[in-house]
Amino acid sequence: MRTRSIHKAALTDAVTPLEEAGKKLAYEAAVEGIVLLENDGCLPVNPKINHGKLALYGAGAKMTIKGGTGSGEVNERHVVSILEGMEHAGFKITTMDWIDDYDQSFQEGERAYAEEFRKKLSPKNLSDFMNLMSSPYRYPYGRAVLQEDVEKSETDTCIYVISRQAGEGADRKLNENEYGLAEIERVNLTFCAEQYEHMIVVINVGGQFDLNFLHEIPNINAVIFMGQLGTMGGQAVADIVCGKHTPSGKLTDTWAKHYRDYPAADDYSYLNGNLDEEYYREGIYVGYRYFDTFHVAPRYPFGYGLSYTEFEMHLAGMRLEKSTVEISVDVKNKGEAYSGKEVVQIYVSCPDSELKKEAQRLTSFAKTKDLKPGEEERVVLQFDLRNLTSYREKDAATVLEPGEYVVRIGNSSRNTRVCGILKLETEIITEKHSHICKAPIKVTEIERQEEKEVLHATCDCRQNWGRTCDVVIDDVEKIQSFLIEPEIIGKVDHKYGPMEIYSSEETDRIMESLTLRDMAELVVGGGLSGQRFFEAPGAAGVTTGNLTAKGIPNVVMADGPAGLRLHKISSVSITGKVKGVEPNISFMKYLPEPVKKVMLGNPDSKNLLYQFTTAFPVGISLASSWNLELAGEVGNAVGKEMKAYGVTYWLAPGMNIHRNPLCGRNFEYFSEDPLLTGKFAAAITKGVQKNRGCYVTLKHFCCNNQEDNRNKTNANVNERALREIYLKGFEIAVKESHPGAVMSSYNKVNGKYVNNSYRLLTQVLRNEWGFDGLVMTDWFATGRKYGDPAHAIASGNDLIMPGSSGTVDDIVKAVSKGIILEEDVKRSAANVLKGITSSRIYQGFLRKQRENGI
């Protein structure tokens, strides 16, 4: 790969202030994303007691998993393991024999995996080659814990770390211990719980995990869901364990008692034997919407998380100002020993009328500051009445139906109290749409057999440990009712049609010089090799580098969403070729040595480039903080790294809904809830785009809710569920944060590839929501077996990735045959050019031209 320009910030291996700041913020985010699930008083553990001796076992003790595999990986300088973090916190780990034995089994297993991996290496094309990452190396579970290990540990306190890794290209398998314990883990946990007085289990998994063993194995005293926390995860866990920080994370998903408690559980992905067709039979009843409505008791409810202290919430006031509901809540830390943060959550139960509703939906949330014992803070939350609408399929209308809207406050979906009632006497139609993606055959959805009830029960934890917040309504008789005046909410009648071609003085000047073929070049990515003006080594893709003579440099896209995925170290040859000296995606390290020798650069080169980026907590763990301000800071930190290394588009945040806990990429995404998803994506977007010329790429639009057969699967989903659940988060993010780009997903929706769906990409995304940025395809998502690239351009995609000369030919031919319009190509080219001309790379390109007298 030949390059003309490398960013100067990549020329030193010294730890930079930017890297230090990233580590500090990653630590803060990790601490706030840890969720305490169970605690009988065992935690926190004082490292000064018993000389700080601590028994540590489990797959994640030393080989702590920072995140999932595939494009979501990050190549940071160093990851702090739980072992390292515990030692830094003052603990003395006394089970190093077990940990050393685990190291040996890990290495032996990895060698065997590499041999098997190489046997499978006969891909027919590049997309098949990329799908080799769908079977990552599975961590061994470790040997049995022996009586000798216990005696040598000389402590009464044990931590056992259960780790699982999932990733791009495959869903988690029920029958392979990816969702539950292996037998040796069960044996070890049982033995350790018998031998140690204090038994703590840490779940180092990027999503829900089967915790049935809590009822089957007595004497487990505490459970921590650490998720996957990036570069500083081990330190964050250690500092939670020792009480330096109080846990404040909350679950962003419902954790069921049994996998089959989830709706349509046996229909998901590979479980029903049909990977080509996926039927969204649960409709709008996803996550807590199902559990709360159908009276299924979860193990842990949505929004749940314990603390080392206790809180009390008092309603301070509620008012309705036009279409905005404002609720003031006084939150007090009523504990005596520990400071802590609490999350105030607002839910609303909408009236059942013609449209059946979920029992309640999240409408607003806010996290307090760190409250000292006895300290109180007033938190003010707001939501718009439009958040309470439902979509009516028969007339394609978004409506507020008449009846009572019951508002409640709490700290989880199962620990709330009514705080107010909104009354509506007549129906309000807030939006009139065109039908989108109607299913050829309507999906038969699950139905309620009884009237909806409002649930007040706490979570179904062992010993009812889940109630660490009292929600107090001082005088129930004083709960306010508000009458909604229909005229305060205007009706929007959406207009549909092609978007205007983007125009500015700069882009118009360049566009005038472009031929049809030039424009086709511009809407097709630069491929995996070739001439380019600028390179960020290890980036996922670039726009074309073939138009520099026309005044158009390429810009760079880097993967996310837990940080930038770039080469840590690259070499530059005498001829200018740039190669990473290490694989920048984990599965590639198992390629045969001759292949790696060709692919990778020389680590002893005199011309080395360094790009150490920050691995932040994965999406589910960052969202578990319920801290939007913190999410914005993470976005801003990523944006600063983008500036440093010359990245224009960050391929993140990932924001698909956690429809089912087995989805292989749930670690990348935020939640089962569209509001929480949309708000976090918006916060991150605003943070990134504070940095001039840096843009996010919301992905994967839409219904990319499974990884098995992701390139071909057809999501059959009724229009109401599509709009209320799977599009809603994207809508929130687009309207609130104006992202620079959106990525269309691999899959079909109701029979049509998303990248070929004019209704989704133009009518919804652009006409209805006002999106004016760039739409790109996912990598290798178009071609003979998938969506047509020319139709993708006509449908509203602007950029086909990663691109090839053959795709350029296809688009030119499609115009000449009248299959698509030249106007379509021009519209897309102008959108690509808009992003390029607003980038920092373009400004550098202009400076270089001026220096060269051009």
Side-chain angles (χ1 to χ4, degrees):
M1 168 184 311
R2 188 180 299 278
T3 181
R4 295 182 185 175
S5 179
I6 300 290
H7 205 277
K8 292 180 180 178
L11 298 180
T12 175
D13 66 345
V15 176
T16 65
L18 182 62
E19 194 178 347
E20 289 288 357
K23 271 179 52 179
K24 181 176 182 293
L25 181 59
Y27 170 76
E28 294 172 6
V31 166
E32 291 215 21
I34 293 171
V35 184
L36 181 60
L37 298 177
E38 305 276 2
N39 186 24
D40 66 355
C42 167
L43 290 172
V45 178
N46 188 340
K48 295 181 180 179
I49 296 177
N50 192 27
H51 305 288
K53 292 179 179 179
L54 183 70
L56 181 63
Y57 304 101
K62 184 179 178 182
M63 308 299 291
T64 310
I65 298 176
K66 65 172 183 184
T69 61
S71 63
E73 298 177 34
V74 182
N75 301 310
E76 68 298 308
R77 187 186 294 266
H78 176 67
V79 174
V80 178
S81 68
I82 290 178
L83 170 63
E84 182 183 347
M86 291 296 175
E87 290 178 333
H88 186 266
F91 292 101
K92 180 181 179 181
I93 305 305
T94 53
T95 52
M96 289 308 300
D97 286 348
W98 192 96
I99 291 172
D100 289 342
D101 288 347
Y102 183 86
D103 274 355
Q104 183 176 345
S105 67
F106 185 98
Q107 292 164 13
E108 291 172 355
E110 197 168 31
R111 283 194 292 270
Y113 171 84
E115 290 179 12
E116 188 64 28
F117 181 92
R118 290 161 187 163
K119 291 177 184 177
K120 299 177 182 177
L121 194 62
S122 56
K124 297 178 181 178
N125 58 50
L126 193 54
S127 62
D128 290 337
F129 173 77
M130 292 300 291
N131 283 330
L132 287 171
M133 63 185 159
S134 65
S135 300
Y137 172 53
R138 185 176 297 157
Y139 283 30
Y141 304 118
R143 66 164 171 82
V145 177
L146 306 175
Q147 187 67 42
E148 182 182 358
D149 295 312
V150 176
E151 292 172 359
K152 284 184 176 180
S153 67
E154 298 180 329
T155 181
D156 62 0
T157 303
C158 171
I159 294 179
Y160 201 102
V161 186
I162 298 169
S163 295
R164 297 291 187 274
Q165 192 154 49
E168 186 172 3
D171 294 314
R172 296 162 68 190
K173 302 301 183 286
L174 271 182
N175 62 351
E176 296 178 11
N177 305 320
E178 293 180 0
Y179 182 69
L181 288 181
E183 185 56 33
I184 185 61
E185 289 176 314
R186 185 180 301 277
V187 170
N188 281 347
L189 286 172
T190 302
F191 180 69
C192 289
E194 292 171 351
Q195 297 295 317
Y196 292 98
E197 184 177 349
H198 304 297
M199 179 67 186
I200 302 159
V201 176
V202 175
I203 309 297
N204 177 209
V205 181
Q208 294 118 303
F209 191 76
D210 185 353
L211 297 183
N212 270 321
F213 64 84
L214 294 180
H215 290 294
E216 299 163 359
I217 302 173
N219 304 321
I220 292 177
N221 306 102
V223 181
I224 294 170
F225 173 53
M226 73 170 286
Q228 293 169 340
L229 296 173
T231 187
M232 296 299 292
Q235 190 63 60
V237 170
D239 289 346
I240 288 288
V241 167
C242 74
K244 182 177 180 180
H245 296 287
T246 296
S248 64
K250 303 284 185 178
L251 294 178
T252 67
D253 296 307
T254 305
W255 286 42
K257 293 180 179 179
H258 307 280
Y259 170 73
R260 286 177 176 81
D261 287 345
Y262 292 105
D266 288 330
D267 281 344
Y268 180 72
S269 186
Y270 60 89
L271 289 173
N272 66 359
N274 182 359
L275 287 174
D276 291 331
E277 302 292 336
E278 186 76 2
Y279 293 93
Y280 287 45
R281 303 188 195 281
E282 68 278 7
I284 64 169
Y285 301 110
V286 176
Y288 71 91
R289 285 169 164 81
Y290 170 77
F291 285 84
D292 293 354
T293 307
F294 286 75
H295 316 298
V296 179
R299 183 174 299 281
Y300 304 114
F302 174 79
Y304 165 83
L306 300 179
S307 175
Y308 292 157
T309 188
E310 295 184 345
F311 298 94
E312 187 174 83
M313 293 182 187
H314 289 265
L315 176 66
M318 177 175 169
R319 66 191 186 98
L320 175 63
E321 182 67 29
K322 295 184 179 179
S323 66
T324 300
V325 179
E326 183 178 281
I327 300 169
S328 299
V329 181
D330 290 331
V331 183
K332 182 178 181 180
N333 180 351
K334 63 178 187 176
E336 298 179 353
Y338 297 98
S339 63
K341 298 181 179 183
E342 180 59 295
V343 178
V344 183
Q345 303 167 34
I346 305 294
Y347 297 85
V348 176
S349 296
C350 303
D352 272 342
S353 186
E354 178 186 3
L355 299 174
K356 296 299 180 184
K357 313 292 197 311
E358 64 275 76
Q360 57 183 344
R361 69 178 72 166
L362 183 71
T363 58
S364 186
F365 60 91
K367 195 166 193 175
T368 68
K369 66 179 183 180
D370 195 49
L371 299 175
K372 298 176 182 177
E375 188 176 5
E376 187 171 320
E377 179 185 4
R378 176 161 294 181
V379 178
V380 180
L381 305 95
Q382 293 182 335
F383 65 88
D384 195 280
L385 292 174
R386 294 173 182 85
N387 291 1
L388 309 180
T389 58
S390 298
Y391 182 77
R392 189 165 60 203
E393 293 183 8
K394 70 177 184 181
D395 58 348
T398 299
V399 299
L400 280 167
E401 292 190 303
E404 292 189 348
Y405 293 78
V406 181
V407 185
R408 46 179 53 81
I409 60 174
N411 73 337
S412 79
S413 68
R414 292 290 181 106
N415 184 27
T416 63
R417 292 292 181 268
V418 175
C419 65
I421 297 174
L422 305 167
K423 296 182 178 180
L424 178 63
E425 295 179 346
T426 60
E427 175 182 282
I428 303 175
I429 295 179
T430 61
E431 295 180 73
K432 203 69 176 65
H433 309 264
S434 172
H435 286 292
I436 56 159
C437 299
K438 294 187 71 173
I441 300 176
K442 189 174 178 65
V443 177
T444 302
E445 297 178 347
I446 59 175
E447 295 181 355
R448 301 200 314 266
Q449 300 300 316
E450 53 187 293
E451 289 301 308
K452 177 177 63 177
E453 294 179 10
V454 177
L455 299 179
H456 296 288
T458 60
C459 61
D460 188 51
C461 309
R462 303 176 306 152
Q463 302 184 23
N464 194 28
W465 297 335
R467 206 177 179 87
T468 60
C469 181
D470 291 329
V471 184
V472 180
I473 304 300
D474 294 315
D475 191 339
V476 175
E477 294 180 357
K478 291 183 180 180
I479 291 176
Q480 290 179 278
S481 295
F482 300 87
L483 184 65
I484 300 173
E485 300 293 342
E487 61 272 12
I488 65 174
I489 301 178
K491 177 184 175 185
V492 177
D493 285 301
H494 292 292
K495 307 298 182 186
Y496 300 94
M499 299 293 290
E500 292 184 2
I501 296 173
Y502 174 76
S503 175
S504 72
E505 183 177 343
E506 186 78 350
T507 58
D508 290 350
R509 178 185 62 78
I510 298 172
M511 289 289 290
E512 287 175 0
S513 69
L514 301 184
T515 65
L516 171 61
R517 185 162 195 89
D518 292 335
M519 290 188 290
E521 289 266 12
L522 191 53
V523 303
V524 175
L528 301 180
S529 62
Q531 195 80 8
R532 51 196 64 173
F533 168 76
F534 182 84
E535 178 65 20
V542 295
T543 56
T544 182
N546 296 334
L547 296 173
T548 53
K550 295 289 182 83
I552 307 173
N554 70 281
V555 295
V556 173
M557 301 152 215
D559 271 322
L564 294 182
R565 184 169 66 84
L566 300 172
H567 284 309
K568 288 191 290 188
I569 307 173
S570 303
S571 66
V572 183
S573 70
I574 297 175
T575 59
K577 288 185 177 180
V578 182
K579 291 183 178 181
V581 302
E582 300 176 7
N584 77 330
I585 192 164
S586 60
F587 83 94
M588 294 176 67
K589 69 181 180 180
Y590 303 115
L591 295 173
E593 291 303 319
V595 175
K596 287 195 288 185
K597 189 172 183 180
V598 173
M599 293 179 62
L600 301 179
N602 178 11
D604 298 321
S605 169
K606 294 181 180 180
N607 296 313
L608 293 178
L609 308 171
Y610 302 91
Q611 300 175 122
F612 290 106
T613 60
T614 306
F616 291 99
V618 297
I620 188 174
S621 294
L622 182 60
S624 294
S625 72
W626 289 63
N627 189 332
L628 293 177
E629 181 179 351
L630 183 62
E633 292 175 13
V634 169
N636 189 23
V638 172
K640 289 177 180 178
E641 291 187 358
M642 292 170 70
K643 283 199 302 184
Y645 299 126
V647 175
T648 298
Y649 288 101
W650 185 39
L651 305 179
M655 51 184 306
N656 291 104
I657 293 296
H658 294 170
R659 176 180 173 241
N660 183 285
L662 300 184
C663 176
R665 290 181 89 170
N666 276 353
F667 73 94
E668 291 191 37
Y669 309 142
F670 299 121
S671 174
E672 67 190 21
D673 181 72
L675 179 92
L676 190 66
T677 294
K679 291 290 186 180
F680 263 87
I684 291 169
T685 297
K686 291 175 184 177
V688 169
Q689 295 184 176
K690 282 181 180 178
N691 300 276
R692 182 177 61 82
C694 299
Y695 304 104
V696 304
T697 307
L698 304 183
K699 67 180 189 183
H700 309 88
F701 184 81
C702 60
C703 293
N704 190 161
N705 304 112
Q706 73 179 59
E707 285 298 294
D708 278 15
N709 197 40
R710 61 180 179 166
N711 298 83
K712 295 181 180 179
T713 191
N714 179 30
N716 295 279
V717 54
N718 290 333
E719 194 176 354
R720 181 183 177 193
L722 181 60
R723 284 192 179 272
E724 291 189 23
I725 304 296
Y726 300 101
L727 292 177
K728 180 58 69 175
F730 286 100
E731 180 182 6
I732 291 168
V734 166
K735 289 182 175 179
E736 291 190 3
S737 62
H738 307 289
V742 168
M743 181 187 291
S744 56
S745 57
Y746 285 119
N747 54 284
K748 303 172 188 174
V749 173
N750 294 334
K752 183 180 283 291
Y753 277 107
V754 172
N755 56 50
N756 276 200
S757 175
Y758 180 84
R759 290 190 177 277
L760 283 171
L761 299 180
T762 297
Q763 291 188 335
V764 172
L765 184 59
R766 296 191 188 277
N767 294 155
E768 293 188 12
W769 301 349
F771 176 71
D772 61 357
L774 172 78
V775 178
M776 69 180 74
T777 68
D778 208 336
W779 269 231
F780 305 103
T782 61
R784 286 180 298 171
K785 297 187 291 184
Y786 310 124
D788 179 82
H791 283 298
I793 295 298
S795 298
N797 283 278
D798 300 309
L799 185 60
I800 308 297
M801 292 302 297
S804 68
S805 58
T807 303
V808 176
D809 293 337
D810 291 342
I811 291 171
V812 172
K813 289 176 184 176
V815 173
S816 66
K817 293 179 179 180
I819 297 172
I820 66 172
L821 302 175
E822 183 171 345
E823 194 85 348
D824 296 325
V825 183
K826 186 175 183 180
R827 184 179 299 107
S828 294
N831 284 337
V832 176
L833 196 55
K834 174 186 177 184
I836 292 173
T837 57
S838 63
S839 71
R840 303 174 71 86
I841 302 307
Y842 185 70
Q843 299 307 313
F845 175 76
L846 293 182
R847 283 195 299 272
K848 184 160 287 192
Q849 283 191 315
R850 287 193 294 269
E851 290 169 3
N852 294 334
I854 299 175

